[in-house]
Amino acid sequence: MSQIAPVTETAAIFKTEAEETKPKKLEQCPETSPLLVGPLRIEFSQPVDLDEVKKQNPALQGGRFTPEDCKALQKVAVIIPFRNREEHLKYWLYYLHPILQRQQLDYGVYVIHQYGEETFNRAKLLNVGYAEALKEYDYDCFVFSDVDLIPMDDRNIYKCFGQPRHIAVSMDKFGFRLPYTQFFGGVSSLSKEQFEKINGFPNNYWGWGGEDDDIYNRIVFKGMGISRPDGTIGKCRMIRHNRDDRNEPNPQRFDRIARTRETMNSDGINSLSYKVVEIKKNTLFTEIIVDIGTPRR
């Protein structure tokens, strides 16, 4: 009687194939990404073609990106308050997506588009971005960025730190200096815990100015400090523009800033009300069109 041939070799082949198809457990990304290049040349003279930006960022879907070769240290939602700034947004997407990917972040970009022609309310839009981003993913860090600010060094990491972080510390608009010590405008980051601790941002600053000073007060009143990169790494360029219609200086801002301690526990993420008009999934970002109401007359 002929013997049946042993099947060890075939079994070994199947085993090898099974091992190959099993997803690899990724190690954590390093604290400092090896992909960073340092100072960047930032120009606004040439128009940006978004189709080209999409081709250059093939891994993006709905503005979401996750590193393939390591597990990101933070899950970051980048929130941009927006209305009538399409050209600025193109530059932001062109420059920031490659930067954020080199920083090895697990991130998503959310453009929070204020619906209608009512006076602009930056801080309320940022609150909406926080709330809506958390409906999509378990983010633990939130970067709040104006659409017209581009970092000039990719070592200025868009992530969260032990204290709330002011990222845009050295703008060309201000001669690459802080305009005043308490300045917290432009681009900043707060962890989920830090954001909840200050009850988010104020909802009642309609028009230009004041909300970033209110946010600074909230942080200080809750016993936290401000973290900043140094003035060289923290350099940013601003896209020059005229002030938008319906975003005139807020005449009530100084009175409101003086009352932060009284209002912060009742005006913020716990009192936020809005209505989502539409959510659009673009390759490069998620756009959330939102009706945030009108100022109290």
Side-chain angles (χ1 to χ4, degrees):
M1 180 183 276
S2 59
Q3 285 188 315
I4 297 173
V7 293
T8 50
E9 189 177 336
T10 311
I13 292 169
F14 281 124
K15 184 181 177 186
T16 305
E17 287 176 350
E19 284 173 348
E20 285 176 356
T21 56
K22 194 192 294 185
K24 292 177 185 172
K25 189 173 182 186
L26 295 176
E27 291 188 10
Q28 280 203 327
C29 298
E31 189 67 38
T32 301
S33 169
L35 308 177
L36 302 178
V37 297
L40 306 168
R41 185 182 178 90
I42 306 296
E43 300 279 344
F44 304 126
S45 54
Q46 298 298 317
V48 170
D49 181 346
L50 283 188
D51 288 331
E52 284 300 313
V53 179
K54 289 174 187 176
K55 287 178 191 172
Q56 292 161 9
N57 296 275
L60 289 172
Q61 194 168 4
R64 291 275 293 112
F65 173 84
T66 305
E68 288 184 354
D69 51 357
C70 62
K71 185 179 179 185
L73 298 177
Q74 294 188 12
K75 294 175 278 192
V76 181
V78 185
I79 312 294
I80 301 173
F82 183 85
R83 188 169 64 186
N84 302 329
R85 294 284 199 91
E86 284 74 13
E87 291 305 309
H88 294 179
L89 181 59
K90 288 178 184 179
Y91 284 117
W92 193 98
L93 296 165
Y94 171 74
Y95 282 115
L96 263 296
H97 274 304
I99 290 172
L100 297 172
Q101 288 165 40
R102 290 198 301 273
Q103 293 179 352
Q104 295 184 314
L105 302 172
D106 177 359
Y107 74 88
V109 174
Y110 296 86
V111 174
I112 314 302
H113 186 160
Q114 182 171 331
Y115 177 76
E117 297 301 319
E118 193 49 80
T119 304
F120 197 66
N121 188 326
R122 176 180 179 268
K124 190 170 185 179
L125 292 172
L126 297 177
N127 278 342
V128 171
Y130 174 86
E132 288 296 312
L134 279 175
K135 292 177 184 177
E136 289 204 344
Y137 192 54
D138 185 25
Y139 292 107
D140 50 27
C141 175
F142 298 82
V143 171
F144 303 97
S145 175
D146 289 347
V147 73
D148 55 7
L149 283 172
I150 311 295
M152 298 175 67
D153 193 312
D154 63 5
R155 294 171 297 174
N156 193 2
I157 310 297
Y158 276 43
K159 69 173 186 178
C160 291
F161 294 78
Q163 299 289 334
R165 182 80 161 182
H166 185 213
I167 292 172
V169 300
S170 188
M171 293 186 208
D172 57 350
K173 173 184 177 181
F174 300 125
F176 296 112
R177 290 189 298 272
L178 273 179
Y180 52 95
T181 308
Q182 299 86 359
F183 182 62
F184 197 65
V187 187
S188 59
S189 70
L190 289 91
S191 69
K192 186 178 178 184
E193 183 183 359
Q194 291 162 357
F195 188 87
E196 295 283 346
K197 190 172 183 178
I198 65 169
N199 191 26
F201 299 158
N203 295 309
N204 61 358
Y205 282 79
W206 298 87
W208 181 87
E211 79 289 337
D212 47 350
D213 294 316
D214 189 297
I215 294 163
Y216 176 89
N217 286 347
R218 288 171 182 240
I219 290 166
V220 171
F221 293 154
K222 286 297 181 179
M224 294 183 285
I226 302 296
S227 163
R228 289 187 171 110
D230 69 46
T232 301
I233 288 175
K235 283 186 175 181
C236 297
R237 280 203 68 187
M238 176 181 273
I239 306 168
R240 301 287 178 183
H241 59 89
N242 296 322
R243 181 163 294 144
D244 306 320
D245 292 338
R246 312 300 297 166
N247 193 28
E248 295 83 9
N250 176 2
Q252 300 173 325
R253 64 190 186 277
F254 300 111
D255 177 58
R256 293 199 189 285
I257 294 164
R259 295 172 54 230
T260 303
R261 195 188 290 273
E262 299 166 38
T263 59
M264 62 182 289
N265 292 326
S266 57
D267 175 31
I269 198 69
N270 65 353
S271 62
L272 177 66
S273 65
Y274 62 95
K275 180 183 175 185
V276 173
V277 176
E278 188 178 1
I279 296 177
K280 298 180 181 179
K281 289 288 181 183
N282 185 297
T283 304
L284 300 172
F285 59 96
T286 292
E287 180 182 12
I288 301 176
I289 302 171
V290 60
D291 181 350
I292 57 171
T294 60
R296 285 189 223 135
R297 303 298 183 193

